[in-house]
Amino acid sequence: MTLPHPVVAVDDLVVVYGGRPVLRSVTLHVAAGDVVAILGANGSGKSTLIRAVLGLLPPRQGEVRLFGTPLRRFRDWRRVGYVPQRLDASGGVPATVHEVVASGRLARRGFLRPNRQADRDAVAAALADVGLTDRAGDAVGTLSGGQQQRVLIARALAGAPDLLILDEPTAGVDAASQESFAVTLRRFVGRGGTVLLVAHELGPLAPLIGRAVVVHHGEIVHDGAVPEPAGHHADPDHEHVHPHAPYDLPGLWGTP
Amino acid sequence: MNLFAYDYMVRALIGATIIGLAAPAIGIYLVQRRLSLIGDGLGHVALTGVGLGLLTQHSPVWTAVVVAVLGAVAVELVRERGKASGDVALAILFYGGISGGVVLTNLSASKSSRSLVSYLFGTPLTTSAQDLVVVGILGAVALTVALLLRPWLFAVSHDEEFARVTGLPIRLLNLTLAVTTAVTVTAAMRTVGLLLVSALMVVPVATAQQITRGFRATMYLAMALGVSASVAGIGVSWQADSATGATIVLLSIVAFVVVTVGAGAARRVRAGRPSSARRPQDGATPDDAAAEPHEVVLGR
């Protein structure tokens, strides 16, 4: 009998971007059923870490394994659901909420396979899960930022993944959508799902998080309980709205 | 005056219908990826194929297909690398294509600049039965790819990074789209010509997307607009004795302007009428759009 593989295993990972090391020897293991938050200031390397886990950035050194398989040989992408920070709707062609969510189902449906009843049901269930069933026929572009974020989560859920990887799911999202998002995530975890998410701050997600990993200057400087917010971020009245500049002040960690 | 009384008119109309359907059906994916001008560039490249066909006395359509497909693969490989220098590489490829076409045509026995002009701007009224078979085959390929692969091509065009993480065969899909674009361009060269084909791939899509809410609806409406413009363009140019390809494109642009003005007016009328959803009652839960700072409401 062997121990189950960690769902995500990152060992001694080095990622270089534009000649600058963004991650320096990062090691992180996520077990099945874990809910792990990667925290850190903008530019700390936390988004780079999950992009490397997803194979979107090549490692300079070290290895990433998903479900025990090295990333270069990993083919079982149906088990992974990715929620990017925002919708990258490049061109001007509109797409309905249903069309975008159904594109996430292709992970299960496979290439050139017909759309079966199970696929239609999964898309409908994912829409219901995020409370957007009544907006299914609307253009995604006409939705608010919070609703668009829920569309992206539904798109990932439509593929019925075992692991959800989310990049700043609550950034720039109103409180009502954040609450709705926390409920959706709690249901996913209740079904036995594993979650790895990047956050600037946790908000209503905090009670769900089992473990926090803090990245600072490309290194993991904390791995354990969720740290207490410090500085002006600790103020309950603090309105956490940042302009989307490439860098801003370190918030949760290393407040000056 | 009966449009259908002449065989050449019937052939021209059938050819225009095929192209009117196929060009926007592939063009919608290009518009979505902000590659609207790729069709134009591949048209330039295809001209070298036309010149090669005239010089070697092969059917210019098939040599144009081969050269345009090779060009499309090269374009996709440059795009995939995403380098800034790729822009210049594409420019060199496109200008090389058009220059090569002109030089090869002049070297060919026919030495006729008239044949070159007919490929550049299209001469649907001289479509032969044999031409029509070729256009039919190429158009059927383009339509099959555009319609059957829609879920996957939509996914990769909508959000390539997400599609990659979904495990879709990204490179195969991108190459398929590039090659099908080349096929569509060459199929359309008889009807609207290599210099104007891109317009028929882009303008009906740009028109349709102003009044539709979804991708599939945009695709079908753009195909309907493409066919209407092509068929009407043949009719108008026959009556007015104007250049057919250019007439088709001008009609598409007229439709675009009319719909743009109309949709803008409709939006202004709606905006001027306060609705209950826009002004939530006190105590009621405001909808998300109203609750958020408006910078994060991504108006697309």
Side-chain angles (χ1 to χ4, degrees):
Chain A
M1 168 132 183
T2 53
L3 283 169
H5 293 293
V7 172
V8 178
V10 177
D11 287 294
D12 188 27
L13 182 72
V14 176
V15 174
V16 177
Y17 198 72
R20 199 172 62 92
V22 185
L23 292 177
R24 311 155 199 255
S25 188
V26 167
T27 295
L28 170 69
H29 287 208
V30 178
D34 276 3
V35 181
V36 177
I38 303 173
L39 305 171
N42 286 358
S44 61
K46 59 189 195 301
S47 286
T48 303
L49 177 53
I50 62 159
R51 291 175 63 77
V53 166
L54 289 163
L56 296 171
L57 284 176
R60 171 66 58 94
Q61 186 190 310
E63 191 181 48
V64 174
R65 278 171 291 147
L66 292 176
F67 300 97
T69 309
L71 205 51
R72 67 182 174 281
R73 285 195 278 119
F74 185 73
R75 295 290 174 270
D76 210 4
W77 286 107
R78 66 174 70 187
R79 300 185 72 180
V80 181
Y82 170 45
V83 182
Q85 192 171 353
R86 57 193 58 212
L87 191 64
D88 180 30
S90 46
V93 182
T96 64
V97 170
H98 187 274
E99 284 171 330
V100 173
V101 174
S103 73
R105 182 65 192 174
L106 297 176
R108 286 273 159 191
R109 186 174 153 188
F111 185 46
L112 290 177
R113 295 283 194 285
N115 195 18
R116 297 181 190 286
Q117 189 59 45
D119 300 319
R120 285 189 279 271
D121 292 347
V123 172
L127 281 167
D129 206 341
V130 298
L132 287 175
T133 305
D134 57 333
R135 304 297 301 267
D138 289 350
V140 173
T142 61
L143 268 54
S144 71
Q147 289 168 331
Q148 291 194 1
Q149 193 62 44
R150 277 146 65 189
V151 171
L152 297 184
I153 291 155
R155 178 175 70 167
L157 290 176
D162 299 321
L163 165 68
L164 263 188
I165 296 184
L166 310 101
D167 193 357
E168 303 242 14
T170 53
V173 171
D174 61 288
S177 276
Q178 285 198 28
E179 292 288 352
S180 146
F181 170 67
V183 170
T184 303
L185 209 58
R186 186 171 291 121
R187 274 199 293 264
F188 176 76
V189 173
R191 295 194 292 264
T194 308
V195 176
L196 179 61
L197 66 87
V198 159
H200 197 80
E201 64 170 41
L202 293 171
L205 300 182
L208 273 169
I209 307 298
R211 184 175 141 211
V213 172
V214 179
V215 181
H216 188 57
H217 289 313
E219 285 172 286
I220 291 181
V221 293
H222 170 93
D223 188 342
V226 178
E228 287 298 314
H232 69 290
H233 283 73
D235 181 353
D237 292 333
H238 171 64
E239 287 269 345
H240 196 103
V241 179
H242 286 269
H244 286 278
Y247 298 100
D248 63 6
L249 292 172
L252 207 145
W253 195 256
T255 302
Chain B
M1 241 176 327
N2 184 0
L3 223 60
F4 301 97
Y6 306 95
D7 280 353
Y8 71 88
M9 270 322 275
V10 173
R11 286 198 295 271
L13 287 169
I14 293 172
T17 303
I18 294 169
I19 298 309
L21 288 172
I26 284 296
I28 188 170
Y29 300 109
L30 305 178
V31 173
Q32 198 185 23
R33 332 187 72 168
R34 295 183 191 277
L35 292 174
S36 297
L37 294 173
I38 281 295
D40 193 43
L42 290 178
H44 289 39
V45 174
L47 201 65
T48 290
V50 170
L52 211 58
L54 292 174
L55 188 64
T56 59
Q57 299 188 331
H58 285 91
S59 161
V61 177
W62 292 116
T63 48
V65 169
V66 171
V67 172
V69 163
L70 291 176
V73 172
V75 167
E76 175 52 31
L77 295 180
V78 169
R79 192 196 70 86
E80 192 183 74
R81 287 165 171 257
K83 293 258 168 67
S85 57
D87 183 41
V88 175
L90 293 184
I92 290 171
L93 185 69
F94 297 164
Y95 300 133
I98 204 157
S99 316
V102 172
V103 167
L104 289 173
T105 307
N106 283 340
L107 286 177
S108 75
S110 63
K111 294 225 189 243
S112 159
S113 62
R114 189 155 166 262
S115 57
L116 197 61
V117 167
S118 75
Y119 290 104
L120 284 174
F121 297 106
T123 47
L125 298 185
T126 62
T127 308
S128 69
Q130 209 181 342
D131 288 336
L132 204 56
V133 170
V134 173
V135 169
I137 292 170
L138 297 177
V141 168
L143 274 174
T144 307
V145 168
L147 294 174
L148 280 188
L149 292 187
R150 187 175 60 225
W152 297 276
L153 286 176
F154 166 75
V156 77
S157 304
H158 184 70
D159 188 344
E160 183 166 328
E161 210 162 70
F162 178 80
R164 194 176 291 279
V165 175
T166 310
L168 295 183
I170 302 296
R171 176 176 266 183
L172 177 69
L173 284 166
N174 283 336
L175 284 173
T176 303
L177 182 60
V179 167
T180 312
T181 304
V183 166
T184 311
V185 165
T186 36
M189 74 182 177
R190 293 292 308 181
T191 310
V192 285
L194 291 170
L195 286 185
L196 291 175
V197 51
S198 194
L200 208 49
M201 300 178 93
V202 170
V203 177
V205 176
T207 309
Q209 70 185 15
Q210 305 197 51
I211 49 177
T212 49
R213 289 189 293 181
F215 189 83
R216 191 173 60 171
T218 308
M219 189 185 214
Y220 289 147
L221 182 56
M223 288 164 75
L225 288 165
V227 169
S228 310
S230 302
V231 170
I234 296 230
V236 168
S237 71
W238 191 59
Q239 299 268 357
D241 196 24
S242 59
T244 314
T247 306
I248 291 171
V249 171
L250 282 178
L251 284 177
S252 299
I253 292 173
V254 167
F256 173 78
V257 171
V258 168
V259 169
T260 305
V261 171
R267 265 195 295 276
R268 271 193 301 280
V269 168
R270 250 177 283 142
R273 195 174 54 209
S275 73
S276 56
R278 285 164 52 82
R279 301 214 180 137
Q281 301 293 308
D282 281 348
T285 312
D287 74 85
D288 291 335
E292 273 178 77
H294 80 276
E295 300 89 58
V296 298
V297 180
L298 306 172
R300 279 209 195 89

